[in-house]
Amino acid sequence: MAEIGIFRLLKRLVVWTLIIGGCWLYFTNSQIQAASTAMIWNFRQRIVNLIGNGDDTSTQSLNLSDSSQKNEQTSQQKTDSTTIPTNGRWATNTATIYVNTGNKTLDSAAQSAIQQWNQTGAFTFRPVNSSQQAEIVVSAMDNDSTNAAGLTKTSSNSINNHFVHANVYLNQRYLLDPEYGYDQQRIVNTAEHELGHAIGLDHTKQVSVMQPAGSFYTIQPGDIQAVKKLYATN
Ligand SMILES: [Zn+2]
């Protein structure tokens, strides 16, 4: 019995030493302090994002994930663009794509997103070797004047409403800054979300890669159905 008593005392001593040691480290090591402050901040940021999820009014200011601009008029496009905000899509469920973000992490996230969509069989992105050959161009932006972690602009033919070109931007300002807590999976989810817009999908509040805060889900069965439905007719 005495042995157990000593053992418990020793155990308590060890625990207290660890706690005191932990506090001491916290107050004396500014790097650890900064890291834990950043962790707390990230956690708050995540909660804000989650709260912002299903709420249209708050997503504008709180959603760091994405925004999309449809049917944007571009000067180089000789084809007609429409400003009517109706759903667009490509003529068929396939489009050529070129990825060049200038960053390894973003490039590989975009490549994974392409693979994931291609595996669904609902839409096929065909990689090409230059932006001139591509219907969809994926690049990076470094922009803190927007809350968006990604942005997709599409140009459409006004007669048949088919897309003629799309630009997908991944915002490195948020995606690559550890303060915002984007791990590789969330960056891939963001790229899948933007490619979803480039296919012609809109936001939904369902469990979907197309939730307005577009980084929490990968492609869901409902998303595949939505693409199949969008391209069911010619
Ligand atoms: Zn979006």
Side-chain angles (χ1 to χ4, degrees):
M1 292 298 273
E3 275 171 17
I4 293 168
I6 288 163
F7 183 68
R8 278 189 185 160
L9 188 74
L10 271 171
K11 210 169 115 184
R12 252 176 230 175
L13 253 169
V14 169
V15 169
W16 277 110
T17 313
L18 280 175
I19 290 169
I20 293 161
C23 291
W24 180 80
L25 263 172
Y26 183 86
F27 288 114
T28 52
N29 189 324
S30 60
Q31 266 189 323
I32 290 179
Q33 212 169 337
S36 33
T37 311
M39 264 171 64
I40 292 162
W41 197 88
N42 275 341
F43 190 61
R44 265 185 48 213
Q45 196 62 44
R46 276 167 202 234
I47 289 171
V48 167
N49 269 339
L50 282 169
I51 292 166
N53 251 352
D55 186 353
D56 269 345
T57 53
S58 62
T59 47
Q60 267 212 328
S61 55
L62 297 173
N63 173 13
L64 283 168
S65 293
D66 148 87
S67 73
S68 71
Q69 291 179 9
K70 298 234 159 190
N71 305 314
E72 198 222 36
Q73 213 121 19
T74 54
S75 50
Q76 310 109 297
Q77 282 297 342
K78 297 296 173 219
T79 43
D80 285 331
S81 292
T82 174
T83 51
I84 303 162
T86 50
N87 293 336
R89 45 159 264 195
W90 299 92
T92 63
N93 65 342
T94 181
T96 52
I97 190 163
Y98 178 68
V99 176
N100 186 11
T101 68
N103 175 275
K104 271 186 191 169
T105 304
L106 296 182
D107 270 359
S108 93
Q111 300 296 354
S112 300
I114 289 168
Q115 267 177 21
Q116 293 300 316
W117 273 118
N118 284 356
Q119 273 170 24
T120 70
F123 194 92
T124 304
F125 294 101
R126 288 191 296 112
V128 290
N129 294 323
S130 78
S131 58
Q132 287 83 1
Q133 295 171 270
E135 290 164 310
I136 302 168
V137 176
V138 182
S139 50
M141 64 178 181
D142 188 357
N143 188 348
D144 65 357
S145 69
T146 170
N147 293 326
L151 179 70
T152 298
K153 297 179 178 182
T154 54
S155 308
S156 316
N157 180 311
S158 63
I159 294 164
N160 57 19
N161 212 25
H162 288 164
F163 291 160
V164 290
H165 192 77
N167 281 302
V168 172
Y169 301 95
L170 300 175
N171 197 348
Q172 63 185 50
R173 180 60 60 100
Y174 301 124
L175 295 174
L176 298 182
D177 185 339
E179 268 198 23
Y180 294 94
Y182 283 92
D183 57 17
Q184 183 66 15
Q185 184 57 54
R186 283 187 65 200
I187 300 174
V188 172
N189 292 348
T190 303
E192 287 174 2
H193 176 104
E194 295 310 324
L195 290 182
H197 283 308
I199 288 171
L201 295 181
D202 282 331
H203 286 162
T204 173
K205 289 179 179 178
Q206 308 297 315
V207 171
S208 163
V209 73
M210 297 313 294
Q211 276 195 359
S215 65
F216 294 106
Y217 293 101
T218 184
I219 299 162
Q220 303 293 310
D223 300 321
I224 301 168
Q225 287 313 310
V227 176
K228 284 184 174 165
K229 202 176 154 193
L230 182 61
Y231 287 89
T233 52
N234 285 315

